[in-house]
Amino acid sequence: MDWLLILLGCIAGYVLVLAYIRTYKPFPRFITLYGPIIGLKTDQVGFFDYFRRYSGFLRIYGSIGVAMVVIVSVAMVVMLLLSVNLTLELKPEPTPLHKPQNIFLIPGINEFVPSTFAVWFAFFFTLVIHEFGHAILCRVEQIAVKSMGVLLLIIPIGAFVEPDEEGVKEASSWPRMRMYGAGIINNILVGVISFGLMVSLIGMAVPTQEPVVVGVYKNYSASEADIPVPSIIRTVNGEMVHTSQDVSDILNGTRPGDTVIVGFDKKGEINDYSLNVSTWPEVLGARESGFMGVFYYNGQGVIDTVQSLFSPLGIFMLLSVPFNPTMEGQYLRILGFDIADTEYYKVPFPGYWELIHLLFWSGFINLAAGLFNALPLVPLDGGFIFREGTERILNRRGLARYTDYVVSFVSTGMVVLIVAIFTLPYLFHM
C-alpha cells in the first residue's frame, strides 16, 4: 500500500472541501473556518449547566487550580532559568532535542512522539479535558458558553469551547481566574491519574525467566564472537538452560581462559558460538569464574523501576522517557513504544501493552500540556491568570495602568527563555 499516495489524496480532498466551504459557506451554524482549519461546532451546550448544581465544590476546585497554577508557574520559570544558565555554562552541542520541530508535542512531527493511535487519542483527550474544564467553570460562574466543537486539519487535531466574550469581560477577577485555571488542573489531575493506573497495571505483567541477552561488553569474548543481540541462550556446553541462573551455575565451574560452547537462539534459529571466557571486570566485582561478557534483560527490574516512579520526582522521570538516551531510559520505552521488549513478558489479557501505552501517553501529554499552559505567557492560561493577579495587585496601589507593560515584559521574557534553550547550542557551535 502506497501511503504517500493515500496522504496526497487526503490532502487534495481536504483542499477541495476547504475551498467549497470558503466559497459557499454551507451550514454556517455548524461549520466555521480558522484559516486552513475546519471547525465543526454545535450550540447545543446545555449539558454544561448540569454542573452548576455542584457550584460550591467546583469553585473550590477552581480556586485550588489557580493556586496550583501559581506554584507550577513559578517552578517552571525557575526551571527555564536554570536550563538557560546550564546551557550557557556547558555550551552543549545541538542534539535532535534542539530541532525546531521538536519544540511542540505534535505526533509524527516531533521526532520523539510517534504517530500511533495511543498518542493521537491522548492528544485529543488532553484537549477535550482542557476545554471542558473551561466550559464547566464558565457555567459555574454564570458565563454563557456559545458553542463547542472539534478542529480538523485533514484529521481531528483538537477541540474547542467558545465562551461568550462579553460574559468573560463582565465577570470579576476570581471567576475568570478559576475559569482559566480549570483546564490546567484538569490536565494535571488526569495526567497523574493516568500514570497511577499505568503503574498499578504494570505489576500484572510477568517477566520471562529465560536468559535473554540484550547487550554485550566491548572487548570481551561475546562481543568479539559477534553473537546475535537480542537472543536467548538455550545451551551451554551441551546442557539445556532455562534461566540466567542456570547459565551462571555452569559458568561458575569455569576459569578465565576456558572455552565454552554457547547456543544462542535468534528468532527460532539456534547457532553455537565458541567463547573464551575472561576475568570479570572490577566494576562487576571480583569472581574466580569466567566471564562471557553479556548482560541479560531484567524484566523484573523494569517493573520495579516503574513502580518506584509514582512520586513527584518520579513523575518527572516518566516525562523524560521519550527523550532519555540512557540504558534505563531505553528500558522504560516499553511504557509508550511498540518495541521488542514486550515479548519478554506474559500479559494478563490481550491488548495489555496497548492499554499501557494509552495510559502512558495520556499521562505524558496531559501533564506536559498542563505544565506548559501554566507558564506566565499570554495567550496561555497561565498568562491570563498572571494578568488577572497582576492587575489586582497593581490596582490596589493605583498602578493598574502598568498591567499591560508588566504582562508584556514577562511574556516576552518567557519567549526569550524558551527560544534560548533551543537556539543557544546552535550559536555556540556555528
Side-chain angles (χ1 to χ4, degrees):
M1 185 178 292
D2 193 331
W3 288 104
L4 179 59
L5 288 178
I6 293 176
L7 177 61
L8 292 175
C10 290
I11 293 174
Y14 181 82
V15 170
L16 290 175
V17 171
L18 191 66
Y20 178 81
I21 294 172
R22 193 177 298 279
T23 303
Y24 297 102
K25 299 178 175 56
F27 309 108
R29 182 178 170 186
F30 304 105
I31 302 176
T32 188
L33 294 180
Y34 302 94
I37 299 173
I38 299 174
L40 303 180
K41 64 178 183 176
T42 176
D43 55 11
Q44 302 299 308
V45 292
F47 74 93
F48 286 124
D49 290 341
Y50 170 83
F51 296 94
R52 294 179 65 179
R53 66 183 67 182
Y54 305 108
S55 294
F57 168 77
L58 290 172
R59 283 196 176 98
I60 295 173
Y61 178 80
S63 298
I64 293 172
V66 173
M68 180 181 291
V69 170
V70 172
I71 294 170
V72 173
S73 180
V74 172
M76 290 293 289
V77 171
V78 170
M79 288 178 61
L80 285 174
L81 289 170
L82 291 175
S83 297
V84 172
N85 182 63
L86 191 62
T87 302
L88 290 171
E89 288 183 359
L90 299 180
K91 296 181 173 58
E93 292 188 3
T95 68
L97 272 173
H98 299 104
K99 292 181 179 179
Q101 66 265 37
N102 296 329
I103 296 177
F104 301 105
L105 294 176
I106 301 177
I109 295 178
N110 187 304
E111 295 179 15
F112 300 93
V113 181
S115 182
T116 63
F117 171 79
V119 174
W120 278 108
F121 175 88
F123 185 78
F124 192 72
F125 180 53
T126 298
L127 293 170
V128 170
I129 288 294
H130 186 92
E131 294 299 329
F132 271 40
H134 292 323
I136 291 170
L137 263 294
C138 274
R139 297 308 299 129
V140 166
E141 302 295 352
Q142 300 184 20
I143 300 171
V145 175
K146 295 168 63 176
S147 66
M148 67 175 183
V150 296
L151 301 174
L152 304 176
L153 187 62
I154 302 178
I155 58 175
I157 62 168
F160 69 91
V161 170
E162 185 181 9
D164 180 66
E165 293 181 6
E166 291 301 319
V168 173
K169 292 178 182 178
E170 292 173 2
S172 58
S173 181
W174 262 105
R176 283 201 298 263
M177 285 197 288
R178 283 193 286 261
M179 186 266 290
Y180 293 135
I184 295 175
I185 191 174
N186 276 5
N187 287 142
I188 292 177
L189 185 61
V190 169
V192 171
I193 291 173
S194 297
F195 275 156
L197 290 173
M198 181 196 70
V199 169
S200 299
L201 285 174
I202 198 69
M204 298 175 67
V206 179
T208 182
Q209 299 300 309
E210 292 181 319
V212 179
V213 176
V214 292
V216 296
Y217 291 86
K218 289 184 178 180
N219 303 321
Y220 285 90
S221 55
S223 174
E224 293 172 352
D226 197 25
I227 68 164
V229 177
S231 60
I232 304 173
I233 297 177
R234 297 297 188 191
T235 61
V236 179
N237 288 339
E239 283 190 53
M240 295 291 295
V241 292
H242 303 285
T243 67
S244 57
Q245 187 59 51
D246 292 343
V247 179
S248 296
D249 290 342
I250 296 174
L251 292 180
N252 283 340
T254 66
R255 294 295 179 268
D258 291 350
T259 299
V260 293
I261 306 299
V262 184
F264 290 90
D265 180 350
K266 177 72 172 181
K267 296 182 178 179
E269 182 179 346
I270 301 176
N271 291 297
D272 291 333
Y273 289 78
S274 178
L275 306 178
N276 295 317
V277 294
S278 310
T279 303
W280 279 75
E282 292 184 8
V283 294
L284 297 180
R287 302 188 191 182
E288 294 182 357
S289 59
F291 178 67
M292 285 192 299
V294 303
F295 55 89
Y296 304 105
Y297 185 79
N298 183 5
Q300 189 58 51
V302 172
I303 291 175
D304 292 342
T305 298
V306 174
Q307 291 178 330
S308 71
L309 292 179
F310 194 59
S311 65
L313 184 60
I315 284 177
F316 280 98
M317 282 288 294
L318 288 172
L319 288 174
S320 73
V321 166
F323 321 106
N324 192 339
T326 67
M327 183 177 295
E328 183 182 49
Q330 296 305 300
Y331 283 144
L332 292 179
R333 288 175 67 84
I334 195 173
L335 300 175
F337 296 84
D338 186 16
I339 58 177
D341 293 9
T342 56
E343 300 173 7
Y344 309 142
Y345 298 83
K346 292 181 180 178
V347 296
F349 51 82
Y352 171 82
W353 286 114
E354 287 78 5
L355 178 58
I356 292 292
H357 295 168
L358 196 67
L359 290 171
F360 172 81
W361 287 111
S362 293
F364 179 92
I365 296 179
N366 268 284
L367 280 170
L371 295 174
F372 182 75
N373 265 294
L375 285 172
L377 167 62
V378 176
L380 303 180
D381 293 327
F384 288 123
I385 291 176
F386 175 71
R387 179 188 178 83
E388 295 290 341
T390 301
E391 188 172 30
R392 284 172 64 90
I393 293 171
L394 294 180
N395 192 48
R396 293 171 186 169
R397 294 163 175 77
L399 301 173
R401 63 187 179 280
Y402 295 111
T403 299
D404 288 341
Y405 297 106
V406 173
V407 173
S408 297
F409 176 78
V410 173
S411 294
T412 302
M414 292 299 98
V415 172
V416 169
L417 289 176
I418 294 170
V419 172
I421 291 172
F422 286 91
T423 58
L424 283 176
Y426 291 100
L427 297 177
F428 291 144
H429 299 276
M430 289 180 64

